[in-house]
Amino acid sequence: MGRGPRIGVFVCHCGKNIATTVDVPRVVEALARHPGVAYAARHEYMCSDPGQDVVKKAIKDHRLTGVVVAACSPSMHETTFRNAAEEAGLNPYLVEIANIREWCSWVHDGPVTTDKAIRITRAMVEKVKGNHPLEPVEVGHAVKCLVVGGGISGIQAALDIADAGYEVLLVERSPSIGGRMAQLSETFPTLDCSQCILTPKMVEASRHPRIRLLTYSEVESVTGYLGNYHVTIRKKPTYVDPDKCNLCGDCARVCPVRVPSEFDQGLSERAAIYVPFPQAVPSSYTLDEVNCLGLNPLRCSECSKVCTVGAINYDMREERIEEDVGAIVLATGYDLYGKEMMGEYGHGTVPDVIDGLEFERILSAGGPTKGEVRRPSDGKVPKEVVFIQCSGSRDPELHKSYCSKICCMYTAKHALLYRHNVHDGTAYVFYIDIRAGGKEYEEFVVRAMEDERILYLRGKVAKVFRDGDKVVVWGVDTLTGKRIEVAADLVVLAQAMVPSAGTEELARKLHIACGGEGFLKEAHPKLRPLEALTAGIFLAGAAHGPKDIPEAVAQGSGAAAKAIAILASPTLTHSPEVAEVDEDLCSGCAVCVPQCPYGAITPGDVAHVNELLCEGCGTCVAACPSGAMRMKNQTDAQVKRMIQVALGGEPVEVSRG
Amino acid sequence: MAEAPFEPKIVAFLCRWCAGAGADLAGTSRIAYPSNAVPIRVNCSGRVEPEWVMEAFRSGADGVLIGGCHPGDCHYVSGNYKTRRRVYLLRKVLAEMGIEPERVRLEWVSATEGAKYARVMKEFVAELKKLGPLSLERKEKEPTAAPVLPRVGS
Ligand SMILES: Cc1cc2nc3c(=O)[nH]c(=O)nc-3n(C[C@H](O)[C@H](O)[C@H](O)COP(=O)(O)OP(=O)(O)OC[C@H]3O[C@@H](n4cnc5c(N)ncnc54)[C@H](O)[C@@H]3O)c2cc1C
Ligand code: SF4
Ligand code: SF4
Ligand code: FES
């Protein structure tokens, strides 16, 4: 006989589940007469071992070139039958399931049910006739991971990956790792000291034999794809040898420059040579060349004169580090929405209107006021403090439409810590509503409200302005409808959380998307919250959206687990049922390129699909005007044959039961 | 003898993740609905080509159902938005050809909406019964009048 298709059709009774409404012997009979079907059989339970044996035996005995199992939904047993076929020597991608249970026997009655079962099965036979044997795509990969952002989330991810036995490059753009958590005083809901729980993790990361810490560094470019990313990192010169620096601080004392300290949110000053905070990791000074009086030519060189250990080296140059990594974790964190954006609250020009991070610094023992609550303008202890929640959040007309999620909690913490600090002080909190969804969070807020006698006022603040040495707050208590005016000494704005500066630029370098508000976008809002759309890139922490520390840590660990799954597999495998370009037909028009949500298509003289990145959605196939883009094992020709047969046209007319 | 009542023929393209799973659930929940449609599973509604719809009409279908995930829920993020745009354009082309645009129905059915799938099927069958059989010969008379089908990218 010729080389035409020899399809085997196996119809399942599923006990009574199919056989009650579908005349199974008739289906077998009809399919046996269908062109290209070499063998048709039925079984009580096709998925049982004896049922599978029927399939396996027929594959061998009848030299089948394809198999259709007419049974339950493919979500149940597609894998079962594909594996069985493979054991019998038939390529698994030549096996398809015709769903005659969920889509037929369970929902219809009467002879039409059998008719429909025949149509579904025949259509599937047509598909299998056009299927080709496929092999899973396999490629090797690098076994290193890049983590961008050294906040708590990135530190956690780096530690987990390194503990699992893989090399990590931890890239942090500021002189120290630690992120925002290093700036916090005490943390809700337990009020443990932020530095005390963070510092051990920072040190662990810096000492880990498999973590290479690249601070004062940024990602310059990324090329490649899942498993095989090539990254270039630019490390700025610090002009201080971290191995020699002993943190004596003599250099900073002689440096004539004073600029606002980033770490203290501008509430204190630092020299041009500085260490952001005493526990910084790496523990070394950094010479900030932007603010230095001049290095080329040297204009001052006071620091090097006093450095007794010779740690200062003005000849240090920028380094470029190139590495191949298998996976990337992005943990670039957040900034606060600028106070200058808040016209209604004085545009950031009133010194005693501060944001949450400034207040954290004021509350910190190592901060500009040594932990005593004193206001910035005149250093007085404020007796009346107004905290304004949702400042810039949940305000689609003027500011950000989203909820920043953590401000309810840290405002309760701020008010409570203020009361612990200033016993005769009064704290007011303006809020829209309280969102304290977290373990022991509600209890924490209730404690602040009740035990600490903090005045919670439900309502919005219309205006904040300076009046002599007071800051006047006009608001409305929406519960009583009363207008409220407080002549406060200090106002703390719970500013919206926004993605850290440069997030979009970084996303562009990696060809991944940011959502409308600029936070890094996940592959699926429910099912793939840790992954970027581009395979092999994972998201962690506040870079992905407002988050508190426990969530940032959990997501860091989650992203690490995802990255480890890549690093740990001997090779990367991927379903071969993907799109491919027929180079003879492709005109290079690139219409397909923007269709792909995964950036799997590279334009050129002819388009190219990266089969490791393609998820097989087929959107590009439907868009190609030249018919050049094809879906493997689901070509247009196959689907058209399915349509024709489903509708009972040729090759065999379907009798109505 | 009275002629058998008109039973419309339908092809239903269902995405694997939502509409197809919703149809599975209709089955598991044993929610009965008319058997007029033969379903064809695709990975995403974004895979459905306007040309397939025409092929279905040419092969004797009276209606075509395209089932996808709700906006925002597409397993491949945005395939269904492309489908929506494409179906909109396709309906216009059909109208120009004299084919009732209602013969192509786009529905969002989630994996938990078995009942919705059954309801959609009932409604669609009823609607097609009202429209009556599609006679394409009449409409595709002139061989040169091959319709220019919309593409997502366009
Ligand atoms: C006022 C205030 C009080 C808070 N109090 C609490 C509290 O009590 N309890 C609690 O659980 N949470 C609290 N939080 C939230 C907490 O700060 C965050 O959950 C946490 O810092 C998020 O960690 P992260 O690692 O995701 O981001 P971050 O801490 O922002 O760290 C991101 C790191 O990435 C670096 N980076 C950014 N961009 C790049 C780049 N392109 N390349 C390289 N590096 C980059 C940054 O320099 C930074 O070091 C508070 C937040 C605020 C604003
Ligand atoms: S849309 Fe088709 S023809 Fe155009 S580049 Fe892509 S594959 Fe080639
Ligand atoms: S099938 Fe989908 S995932 Fe694959 S290349 Fe085309 S658009 Fe991208
Ligand atoms: S996967 Fe259902 S519409 Fe895209």
Side-chain angles (χ1 to χ4, degrees):
Chain A
M1 277 268 309
R3 351 200 107 231
R6 303 177 52 79
I7 310 295
V9 178
F10 302 87
V11 189
C12 184
H13 287 245
C14 193
K16 286 183 173 169
N17 284 300
I18 291 173
T20 305
T21 50
V22 171
D23 183 345
V24 174
R26 265 210 68 209
V27 178
V28 172
E29 191 190 309
L31 266 297
R33 281 188 280 118
H34 191 88
V37 173
Y39 181 77
R42 59 195 170 94
H43 197 276
E44 253 326 88
Y45 289 103
M46 216 59 171
C47 61
S48 65
D49 282 346
Q52 291 186 49
D53 286 342
V54 171
V55 179
K56 287 193 220 170
K57 187 163 182 304
I59 290 172
K60 290 183 192 144
D61 292 354
H62 299 272
R63 289 171 290 114
L64 298 180
T65 59
V67 162
V68 172
V69 182
C72 54
S73 167
S75 62
M76 309 292 296
H77 281 304
E78 187 178 75
T79 320
T80 313
F81 291 109
R82 286 190 167 180
N83 289 346
E86 193 164 29
E87 282 169 31
L90 183 72
N91 183 284
Y93 295 94
L94 300 171
V95 178
E96 298 283 0
I97 307 290
N99 182 352
I100 61 165
R101 192 178 76 176
E102 282 82 348
W103 287 3
C104 187
S105 76
W106 273 349
V107 285
H108 309 313
D109 218 344
V112 287
T113 320
T114 305
D115 176 65
K116 179 169 163 180
I118 292 171
R119 288 168 191 275
I120 292 176
T121 313
R122 280 183 163 159
M124 207 44 97
V125 170
E126 289 307 310
K127 177 178 192 298
V128 172
K129 278 188 197 171
N131 275 14
H132 289 280
L134 300 176
E135 295 300 331
V137 183
E138 273 193 55
V139 286
H141 60 84
V143 285
K144 233 178 234 178
C145 188
L146 169 69
V147 176
V148 187
I152 186 60
S153 195
I155 292 177
Q156 185 64 45
L159 286 173
D160 285 356
I161 297 166
D163 284 345
Y166 303 97
E167 304 274 325
V168 178
L169 292 170
L170 178 53
V171 174
E172 164 60 50
R173 74 173 162 200
S174 73
S176 171
I177 56 171
R180 296 286 180 202
M181 189 176 167
Q183 294 180 284
L184 305 181
S185 53
E186 292 168 21
T187 57
F188 61 75
T190 46
L191 296 184
D192 22 14
C193 144
S194 191
Q195 280 282 0
C196 315
I197 56 177
L198 173 66
T199 311
K201 290 240 172 210
M202 292 164 61
V203 172
E204 197 186 338
S206 73
R207 295 216 179 119
H208 202 295
R210 282 182 293 276
I211 296 179
R212 178 166 177 207
L213 210 57
L214 294 169
T215 46
Y216 221 39
S217 302
E218 283 189 62
V219 174
E220 186 170 271
S221 69
V222 178
T223 56
Y225 54 89
L226 165 65
N228 295 283
Y229 286 107
H230 185 77
V231 298
T232 309
I233 295 149
R234 198 165 54 89
K235 184 166 174 46
K236 293 188 281 181
T238 60
Y239 302 102
V240 180
D241 180 344
D243 295 332
K244 291 188 185 155
C245 176
N246 61 12
L247 290 182
C248 70
D250 289 343
C251 52
R253 273 187 288 278
V254 298
C255 175
V257 175
R258 286 296 175 268
V259 291
S261 150
E262 297 84 355
F263 186 76
D264 276 341
Q265 296 292 117
L267 294 175
S268 71
E269 292 186 324
R270 64 162 173 88
I273 189 161
Y274 71 112
V275 61
F277 53 103
Q279 305 88 333
V281 167
S283 59
S284 168
Y285 273 67
T286 294
L287 197 168
D288 143 26
E289 67 180 321
V290 177
N291 289 299
C292 170
L293 290 181
L295 287 171
N296 194 13
L298 265 182
R299 287 213 25 221
C300 154
S301 68
E302 286 302 321
C303 48
S304 109
K305 285 180 209 151
V306 296
C307 183
T308 51
V309 293
I312 294 169
N313 170 8
Y314 297 132
D315 296 326
M316 208 181 258
R317 289 291 164 260
E318 177 180 294
E319 271 180 79
R320 265 195 167 58
I321 294 133
E322 297 198 28
E323 291 274 5
D324 290 315
V325 297
I328 299 175
V329 175
L330 299 178
T332 49
Y334 71 96
D335 284 341
L336 289 186
Y337 186 55
K339 278 184 301 181
E340 67 284 356
M341 305 301 290
M342 308 306 298
E344 59 275 42
Y345 302 156
H347 274 303
T349 56
V350 184
D352 293 327
V353 178
I354 62 173
D355 69 23
L357 282 174
E358 289 172 272
F359 198 58
E360 290 287 341
R361 295 312 303 144
I362 290 175
L363 289 169
S364 295
T369 56
K370 306 277 170 271
E372 276 180 50
V373 178
R374 295 186 175 278
R375 63 185 200 172
S377 63
D378 53 12
K380 273 198 202 144
V381 176
K383 297 291 178 189
E384 291 203 85
V385 181
V386 173
F387 295 90
I388 304 179
Q389 294 194 177
C390 299
S391 179
S393 296
R394 303 173 70 190
D395 189 348
E397 270 97 59
L398 293 175
H399 305 292
K400 304 291 175 190
S401 54
Y402 55 88
C403 164
S404 289
K405 197 172 176 183
I406 61 163
C407 327
C408 289
M409 288 307 296
Y410 75 62
T411 301
K413 172 185 80 173
H414 285 171
L416 188 144
L417 292 177
Y418 166 70
R419 290 269 303 138
H420 287 185
N421 221 284
V422 184
H423 300 291
D424 57 345
T426 309
Y428 303 84
V429 175
F430 279 93
Y431 70 103
I432 302 182
D433 48 24
I434 298 293
R435 300 182 168 179
K439 207 168 171 181
E440 286 167 40
Y441 283 15
E442 176 65 14
E443 294 86 330
F444 181 80
V445 176
V446 168
R447 182 175 136 206
M449 286 179 172
E450 292 174 357
D451 299 358
E452 305 294 337
R453 297 197 312 282
I454 293 157
L455 291 160
Y456 269 77
L457 301 166
R458 182 174 185 148
K460 272 212 103 161
V461 172
K463 201 171 154 82
V464 172
F465 59 96
R466 190 173 190 171
D467 184 14
D469 76 339
K470 292 282 183 188
V471 186
V472 181
V473 177
W474 279 356
V476 185
D477 180 342
T478 48
L479 290 180
T480 60
K482 273 197 206 135
R483 283 196 49 187
I484 297 172
E485 180 176 322
V486 185
D489 300 309
L490 181 70
V491 171
V492 182
L493 304 176
Q495 286 298 94
M497 273 171 117
V498 295
S500 63
T503 301
E504 292 207 29
E505 193 193 333
L506 181 67
R508 224 172 296 126
K509 280 182 193 162
L510 287 150
H511 310 293
I512 62 167
C514 292
E517 303 290 359
F519 290 105
L520 297 175
K521 194 169 159 57
E522 65 286 333
H524 194 283
K526 290 126 202 164
L527 303 176
R528 296 167 72 189
L530 302 170
E531 298 158 67
L533 261 176
T534 305
I537 300 180
F538 305 103
L539 315 175
H544 165 249
K547 276 187 190 76
D548 57 24
I549 295 164
E551 279 186 314
V553 170
Q555 207 184 2
S557 284
K562 286 276 173 195
I564 291 167
I566 292 173
L567 304 175
S569 50
T571 54
L572 297 175
T573 54
H574 188 73
S575 161
E577 292 172 303
V578 295
E580 67 179 337
V581 178
D582 182 330
E583 302 197 345
D584 293 334
L585 295 180
C586 175
S587 68
C589 69
V591 163
C592 50
V593 175
Q595 298 295 316
C596 182
Y598 309 98
I601 312 172
T602 324
D605 285 346
V606 292
H608 174 76
V609 176
N610 182 322
E611 41 185 5
L612 216 56
L613 297 184
C614 172
E615 299 271 332
C617 70
T619 309
C620 60
V621 183
C624 172
S626 311
M629 192 61 91
R630 273 203 297 247
M631 182 58 66
K632 286 187 189 171
N633 283 357
Q634 200 187 52
T635 61
D636 276 16
Q638 280 176 290
V639 177
K640 284 185 186 173
R641 288 296 301 148
M642 291 179 80
I643 294 168
Q644 291 160 3
V645 171
L647 289 163
E650 35 103 62
V652 180
E653 80 297 340
V654 176
S655 56
R656 284 247 157 194
Chain B
M1 230 169 81
E3 220 177 286
F6 166 59
E7 281 297 340
K9 289 185 183 178
I10 302 169
V11 175
F13 299 107
L14 308 179
C15 87
R16 163 200 294 249
W17 306 98
C18 294
D24 272 1
L25 183 64
T28 349
S29 329
R30 312 294 204 280
I31 307 172
Y33 56 85
S35 65
N36 303 56
V38 179
I40 293 179
R41 187 175 76 154
V42 288
N43 274 353
C44 174
S45 70
R47 171 72 183 100
V48 178
E49 307 220 10
E51 181 48 36
W52 297 357
V53 177
M54 293 313 298
E55 183 63 40
F57 287 148
R58 268 185 232 117
S59 307
D62 301 298
V64 173
L65 174 76
I66 301 169
C69 313
H70 283 271
D73 287 352
C74 172
H75 186 77
Y76 309 95
V77 188
S78 53
N80 50 1
Y81 294 124
K82 286 156 190 154
T83 315
R84 181 161 63 187
R85 189 143 114 248
R86 199 176 327 151
V87 169
Y88 170 79
L89 295 171
L90 174 66
R91 283 221 182 96
K92 286 193 156 179
V93 175
L94 290 177
E96 276 168 29
M97 294 169 65
I99 298 176
E100 298 87 347
E102 308 85 77
R103 291 188 187 273
V104 180
R105 190 169 176 135
L106 175 62
E107 288 283 351
W108 310 135
V109 180
S110 82
T112 60
E113 292 177 329
K116 178 172 181 186
Y117 182 75
R119 195 188 75 228
V120 163
M121 209 40 102
K122 279 180 209 157
E123 282 173 14
F124 196 30
V125 169
E127 190 176 2
L128 290 172
K129 279 186 178 170
K130 262 189 234 146
L131 287 175
L134 171 67
S135 153
L136 207 60
E137 290 74 43
R138 190 162 39 85
K139 279 143 187 165
E140 269 196 334
K141 261 282 144 57
E142 309 88 280
T144 46
V148 182
L149 293 175
R151 296 264 152 196
V152 199
S154 52

